[in-house]
């Protein structure tokens, strides 16, 4: 046991404004040993918490990453709870339900009982020097038993989602706190000992007061709750880096002795890896509002530079040059000054709406109008980009094919909430265009859900939209390419002083390391994929690909003696579970690479190496393939020879697109609309493209 220290107080200027000094509070400071996080951070989807009212609670994106890093960097045991067994299973597996660079390594390390060495200063989660030998027990757990996790915790993070209301008073602007209330009532019902309850969710100012009142009214006799605010200041795509090396940690508490004590206890966890001067304490209401204010001001910067981009296009100025010049001013700085099709994600728009509603509730209507203008500018930017594309394509999109590269709202995340791509694709469909979408991290079903939720008719979507497995497939026979997400693989700009090398170029194919082992792809036509499930768990490494004169399926293997990568195909079109059964052996190898290589299975039933004719195929770096042939019966009674292949991926980085290859398959005049300014326009023009970019006048359009 220890007392809250005077040093803790002196390191936090905001503490000077509080009423009681923590240095003279004679209350023993308990050590936090167990934390429970209510919400596993899955993007979208509803969760049912075990509470008396049987209400539905939606989890916040940051719950999983935050819990993982706390377990990774501290000596605290962290349990993430969610009633959805499928999601908890996903967090326990090697295929996490959300994508963040570095998250997978940390979750696997901590779940396996490996923690970060206190000796190392590196903030790279995959650095080998950051790990020490496994300890007997892990510190990160995932569970569906909410009651047990809450009852055993010293501190509880409330990480549920707070979406914008879609009904009643405040519809379209106020935060829906139904999930927060449901989680709070659950805590009060279960807890039989004193708890610290921490708001991690982004909430309107003074929400903590409501939480305090609900807990007090429903608490068991003798149980005391202290409520803190500890908002996350994370950016999707860099969340792990932000958690490991945060700019600041904000902890808000009530100005009472027990409030100060609870804040000191939470700060003690963060001090295990965060410098003490970055841990700032303040009152509850300031902490709550600081998160909304930060997101609103960041969104304001984006809308400001997007407003300038329209002036640049009209005058011939270059928005990249203008924003660079502004960013050199130390009072402004370079961050968040990149023009684009508009901001997205779950935070910016929702949090600005919160401020708008709060301002109106306080009768500050001019303030509400000011912040609403930031959102209006964001919507205008999406529509302005749409109109520019339509205008360049001769004011008619009907029947034309547009390849949309990127659907996530930013790179290095799978999050699509409020993505500008949703609006633009919906606009294209409304103009009767055919749209082919490719994103390296966003799942097909997630794209469909977003488009349907945006109001698009499902039957119209099926006729006019396809989700492709590769960027090359999306661009085949396209009239235009639209860059909507700044994924590095789309860029043709030099990196580190070098350009895209010839050996980096890949054929019209890609290895998809995220595919389910039992999912295989077949091309029905130039734009659509059909997905069929194969019954055997041993069908591994199969690939379906387009042959110039016909369609077929194939496999890729590696000759153990020569080391060459080989491609085989059968003569028949892809057809369900018969696709890889070759009663008459293999056909002559064809000059076409597979479009997909699937994850390896853990067990095989191979009987002999296959000594056949081989054909070398290019473009599969950082993989190893072995193949064996097996005689086995088929489910329909037939028998044949089945080839299985093991493919092990060794962390290959995405290959940069070969824009010359894309140009060869597009319809002239080959428009490229660079919505993220990630392309070297002069290089594309040399390949015959006409390039249009946000904040820049079209270089191939006559004055």
């Amino acid at each position: 046991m220890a007392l809250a220290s005077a040093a803790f107080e002196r390191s936090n200027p905001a503490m000077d404004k509080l009423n009681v000094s923590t240095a003279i509070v004679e209350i023993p400071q308990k050590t936090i040993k167990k934390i429970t996080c209510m919400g596993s951070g899955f993007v979208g989807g509803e969760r049912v918490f075990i509470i008396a009212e049987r209400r539905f609670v939606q989890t916040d994106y940051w719950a999983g990453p935050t819990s993982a890093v706390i377990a990774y960097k501290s000596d605290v045991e962290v349990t993430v709870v969610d009633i959805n067994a499928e999601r908890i299973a996903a967090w326990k597996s090697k295929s996490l339900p959300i994508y963040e660079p570095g998250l997978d390594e940390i979750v696997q390390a901590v779940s396996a009982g490996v923690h970060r060495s206190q000796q190392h200063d590196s903030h790279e989660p995959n650095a080998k020097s950051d790990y020490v030998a496994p300890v007997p027990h892990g510190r990160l757990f995932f569970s569906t038993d909410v009651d047990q996790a809450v009852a055993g915790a010293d501190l509880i993070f409330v990480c549920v989602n707070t979406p914008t209301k879609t009904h009643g008073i405040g519809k379209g602007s106020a935060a829906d706190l139904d999930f927060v209330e449901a989680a709070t009532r659950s805590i009060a019902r279960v807890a039989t000992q004193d708890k610290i309850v921490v708001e991690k969710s982004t909430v309107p100012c003074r929400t903590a007061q409501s939480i305090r009142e609900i807990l007090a009214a429903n608490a068991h006799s003798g149980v005391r709750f202290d409520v803190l605010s500890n908002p996350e200041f994370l950016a999707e795509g860099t969340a792990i880096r932000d958690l490991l090396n945060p700019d600041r940690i904000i902890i808000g508490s009530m100005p009472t002795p027990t409030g100060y004590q609870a804040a000191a206890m939470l700060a003690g966890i963060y001090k295990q890896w965060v410098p003490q001067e970055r841990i700032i304490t303040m009152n509850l209401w300031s902490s709550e509002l600081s998160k909304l204010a930060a997101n609103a001001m960041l969104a304001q910067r984006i809308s400001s530079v997007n407003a300038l981009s329209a002036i640049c296009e009209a005058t011939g100025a270059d928005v990249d040059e203008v924003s660079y010049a502004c960013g050199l001013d130390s009072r402004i700085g370079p961050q968040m000054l990149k023009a684009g099709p508009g901001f997205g994600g779950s935070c910016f728009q929702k949090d600005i709406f919160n401020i708008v509603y709060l301002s109106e509730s306080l009768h500050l209507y001019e303030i509400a109008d000011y912040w609403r203008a930031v959102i209006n500018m964001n919507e205008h930017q999406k529509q302005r980009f749409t109109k520019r594309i339509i205008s360049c394509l001769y004011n008619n999109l009907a029947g034309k094919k547009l390849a949309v590269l990127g659907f996530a709202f930013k790179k290095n995340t799978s999050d699509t909430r409020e993505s500008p791509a949703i609006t633009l694709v919906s606009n294209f469909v409304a103009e009767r265009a055919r749209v082919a979408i490719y994103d390296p991290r966003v799942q097909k079903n997630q794209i469909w859900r977003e488009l349907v939720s945006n109001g698009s008719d499902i039957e119209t979507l099926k006729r006019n939209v396809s989700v492709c497995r590769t960027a090359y497939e999306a661009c085949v026979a396209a009239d235009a390419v639209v860059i909507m997400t700044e994924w590095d693989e789309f860029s043709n700009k030099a990196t580190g002083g070098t350009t895209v090398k010839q050996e980096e170029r890949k054929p019209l194919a890609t290895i998809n390391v995220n595919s389910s082992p039992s999912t295989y792809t077949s091309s029905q036509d130039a734009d659509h994929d059909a997905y069929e499930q194969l019954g055997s768990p041993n069908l591994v490494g199969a690939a379906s690909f387009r042959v110039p004169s016909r369609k077929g399926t194939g496999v890729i293997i590696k000759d153990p003696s020569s080391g060459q990568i080989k491609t085989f195909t059968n003569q028949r079109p892809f057809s369900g579970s018969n696709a890889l059964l070759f009663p008459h052996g293999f056909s002559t190898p064809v000059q076409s690479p597979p479009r997909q290589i699937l994850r390896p299975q853990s067990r095989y039933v191979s009987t002999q190496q296959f000594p056949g004719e081989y054909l070398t195929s290019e473009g599969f770096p950082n993989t190893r393939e072995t193949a064996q042939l097996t005689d086995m019966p088929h489910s329909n009674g037939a028998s044949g020879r089945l080839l299985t292949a093991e493919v092990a991926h060794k962390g290959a980085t995405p290959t940069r697109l070969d824009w010359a290859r894309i140009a060869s398959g597009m319809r002239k005049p080959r428009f490229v609309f660079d919505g993220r300014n990630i392309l070297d326009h002069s290089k594309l023009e040399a390949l015959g493209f006409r390039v249009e970019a946000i904040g820049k006048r079209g270089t191939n359009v006559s004055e």
Side-chain angles (χ1 to χ4, degrees):
M1 308 288 277
L3 298 179
S5 66
F8 171 74
E9 177 186 351
R10 287 196 299 270
S11 69
N12 296 273
M15 186 70 87
D16 295 339
K17 297 184 179 180
L18 302 180
N19 297 325
V20 181
S21 171
T22 58
I24 62 173
V25 176
E26 298 296 328
I27 298 178
Q29 182 180 327
K30 181 181 177 181
T31 301
I32 301 296
K33 296 181 178 180
K34 292 185 178 182
I35 292 176
T36 289
C37 180
M38 298 182 74
S40 63
F42 180 71
V43 179
E46 290 183 335
R47 310 287 175 269
V48 187
F49 278 100
I50 306 176
I51 57 177
E53 292 81 7
R54 296 179 62 83
R55 303 174 75 175
F56 289 85
V57 178
Q58 191 174 34
T59 57
D60 179 75
Y61 183 90
W62 302 122
T66 300
S67 300
V69 170
I70 290 177
Y72 179 60
K73 297 293 292 184
S74 75
D75 55 6
V76 177
E77 180 181 299
V78 183
T79 301
V80 182
V81 291
D82 192 317
I83 195 61
N84 188 309
E86 181 182 353
R87 301 308 175 201
I88 289 297
W91 278 105
K92 292 180 178 180
S93 73
K94 293 184 179 180
S95 300
L96 303 184
I98 64 174
Y99 171 72
E100 277 288 335
L103 175 61
D104 183 72
E105 293 91 334
I106 287 182
V107 170
Q108 290 190 42
V110 183
S111 297
V114 181
H115 66 88
R116 184 181 173 87
S117 170
Q118 299 296 322
Q119 305 177 51
H120 301 294
D121 296 323
S122 171
H123 293 298
E124 293 298 324
N126 58 352
K128 296 298 183 183
S129 61
D130 289 345
Y131 297 100
V132 295
V135 295
H137 302 286
R139 277 191 273 274
L140 179 64
F141 303 90
F142 297 95
S143 173
T144 57
D145 193 337
V146 179
D147 285 11
Q148 182 181 40
V150 169
D154 302 310
L155 182 147
I156 301 167
F157 285 144
V158 178
C159 296
V160 296
N161 198 14
T162 54
T164 302
K165 285 186 70 174
T166 58
H167 58 279
I169 297 175
K171 175 182 178 181
S173 58
D176 189 340
L177 300 180
D178 189 34
F179 307 146
V180 173
E181 180 178 348
T184 302
R185 290 183 180 276
S186 178
I187 294 170
R189 178 180 60 81
V190 173
T192 57
Q193 296 179 333
D194 295 353
K195 307 287 182 186
I196 298 175
V197 178
V198 183
E199 290 177 333
K200 275 289 186 183
S201 304
T202 303
V203 294
C205 191
R206 298 196 71 85
T207 298
Q209 183 60 31
S210 299
I211 293 176
R212 293 177 71 241
E213 292 177 0
I214 293 170
L215 290 172
N218 294 275
H220 292 280
S221 177
V223 177
R224 189 187 78 247
F225 295 98
D226 290 297
V227 178
L228 302 176
S229 170
N230 179 215
E232 297 287 6
F233 297 93
L234 307 176
E236 293 182 50
T238 60
I240 299 302
R241 184 186 67 189
D242 298 341
L243 285 163
L244 292 173
N245 189 25
D247 294 327
R248 75 284 202 198
I249 297 294
I250 301 296
I251 301 174
S253 70
M254 291 296 293
T256 63
T258 56
Y260 299 152
Q261 180 203 31
M265 292 164 66
L266 178 57
I269 296 172
Y270 287 114
K271 283 193 292 185
Q272 295 184 54
W273 79 94
V274 179
Q276 186 163 314
E277 62 271 15
R278 297 187 191 178
I279 303 174
I280 312 299
T281 60
M282 57 184 65
N283 73 51
L284 271 172
W285 328 129
S286 297
S287 177
E288 290 176 332
L289 188 57
S290 67
K291 174 57 184 285
L292 297 177
N295 281 343
M297 295 181 76
L298 291 172
Q300 180 193 50
R301 286 172 69 93
I302 296 174
S303 282
S304 295
V305 75
N306 281 342
L308 290 171
S309 72
I311 299 176
C312 290
E313 292 169 22
T315 61
D318 187 315
V319 72
D320 283 344
E321 296 174 351
V322 172
S323 61
Y324 176 74
C326 292
L328 292 175
D329 190 323
S330 60
R331 298 167 300 174
I332 300 173
Q335 300 299 318
M336 308 297 283
L337 289 180
K338 187 71 172 177
F343 57 74
S346 64
C347 296
F348 285 178
Q349 179 169 295
K350 174 175 68 72
D351 292 352
I352 293 176
F353 275 137
N354 267 332
I355 292 179
V356 169
Y357 184 72
L358 177 63
S359 300
E360 291 176 338
S361 299
L362 299 171
H363 307 292
L364 303 173
Y365 300 110
E366 293 81 6
I367 308 304
D369 290 342
Y370 173 82
W371 288 109
R372 187 181 285 109
V374 174
I375 295 177
N376 291 342
M377 181 65 236
N378 194 56
E379 293 304 312
H380 172 71
Q381 186 76 345
K382 300 174 192 176
Q383 301 304 327
R384 197 173 66 81
F385 192 35
T386 299
K387 291 177 181 178
R388 184 174 181 184
I389 293 171
I390 294 173
S391 176
C392 289
L393 291 172
Y394 316 109
N395 294 305
N396 176 37
L397 297 186
K400 294 177 181 176
K401 180 181 177 182
L402 276 62
V404 174
L405 300 187
F407 200 82
F409 84 93
K410 62 183 290 188
K411 73 174 184 178
N412 291 335
T413 181
S414 58
D415 196 351
T416 58
R417 290 175 290 184
E418 305 296 339
S419 172
I422 300 170
T423 299
L424 265 78
V425 170
S426 298
N427 289 343
F428 297 155
V429 172
E431 293 289 331
R432 296 188 296 168
R434 294 183 299 120
V435 183
I437 303 169
Y438 166 72
D439 189 288
R441 288 291 177 180
V442 180
Q443 298 297 318
K444 182 177 183 179
N445 289 341
Q446 188 174 339
I447 293 175
W448 290 123
R449 283 196 301 268
E450 293 285 12
L451 294 175
V452 171
S453 298
N454 195 50
S456 297
D457 175 69
I458 184 63
E459 294 303 323
T460 302
L461 289 175
K462 289 180 179 179
R463 290 194 302 268
N464 295 287
V465 178
S466 61
V467 180
C468 301
R469 307 291 286 187
T470 72
Y472 298 106
E473 179 186 351
C475 294
V476 170
D479 294 271
V481 175
V482 183
I483 304 291
M484 290 301 299
T485 309
E486 67 279 21
W487 289 105
D488 292 339
E489 65 189 83
F490 299 157
S491 177
N492 69 336
K493 288 185 177 180
T495 302
T498 61
T499 57
V500 181
K501 299 177 182 179
Q502 179 68 31
E503 56 266 28
E504 288 181 306
R505 296 178 176 177
K506 294 178 70 175
L508 201 94
T510 189
I511 298 173
N512 188 332
V513 299
N514 295 313
S515 299
S516 167
S518 60
T519 304
Y520 296 79
T521 306
S522 172
S523 176
Q524 291 181 323
D525 54 43
D527 301 322
H528 292 267
D529 283 341
Y531 301 89
E532 301 196 281
Q533 300 294 321
L534 300 182
S536 171
N538 301 296
L539 300 179
V540 181
S544 167
F545 51 89
R546 186 176 301 110
V547 182
S549 60
R550 57 179 171 80
K551 299 169 185 154
T553 58
V555 291
I556 181 169
I557 66 173
K558 183 176 182 180
D559 183 358
S561 59
S562 68
Q564 288 186 313
I565 298 175
K566 320 299 179 182
T567 303
F568 292 87
T569 183
N570 67 323
Q571 296 285 359
R572 296 178 295 169
F574 183 91
S575 178
S577 57
N578 288 314
L580 293 183
L581 195 63
F582 305 116
H584 306 293
F586 291 98
S587 69
T588 303
V590 296
Q591 298 281 349
S592 179
R595 292 174 54 228
Q596 182 184 15
I597 297 294
L598 302 176
R599 285 183 183 272
Q601 293 283 349
S602 59
R603 296 191 302 178
Y604 305 90
V605 290
S606 304
T607 57
Q608 60 181 353
Q609 296 290 336
F610 178 69
E613 297 295 328
Y614 300 100
L615 180 70
T616 300
S617 178
E618 299 176 347
F620 297 94
N622 297 320
T623 64
R624 60 180 175 85
E625 296 85 3
T626 59
Q628 295 181 335
L629 195 66
T630 302
D631 291 315
M632 62 180 294
H634 191 260
S635 57
N636 62 8
S639 62
R641 312 187 82 192
L642 177 67
L643 184 72
T644 63
E646 177 185 1
V647 182
H649 300 276
K650 301 178 180 178
T653 56
T655 303
R656 303 283 286 274
L657 292 185
D658 182 351
W659 282 93
R661 187 177 296 272
I662 290 176
S664 66
M666 286 182 62
R667 296 178 60 187
K668 295 182 178 180
R670 302 192 190 99
F671 274 103
V672 173
F673 297 95
D674 186 3
R676 297 291 185 171
N677 285 317
I678 61 171
L679 299 174
D680 185 323
H681 296 180
S682 61
K683 292 179 181 178
L684 291 186
E685 290 162 10
L687 295 174
F689 289 101
R690 291 183 59 173
V691 184
E692 300 281 332
I694 287 178
K696 301 179 182 182
R697 180 170 288 187
T699 52
N700 273 357
V701 179
S702 59
E703 299 289 338

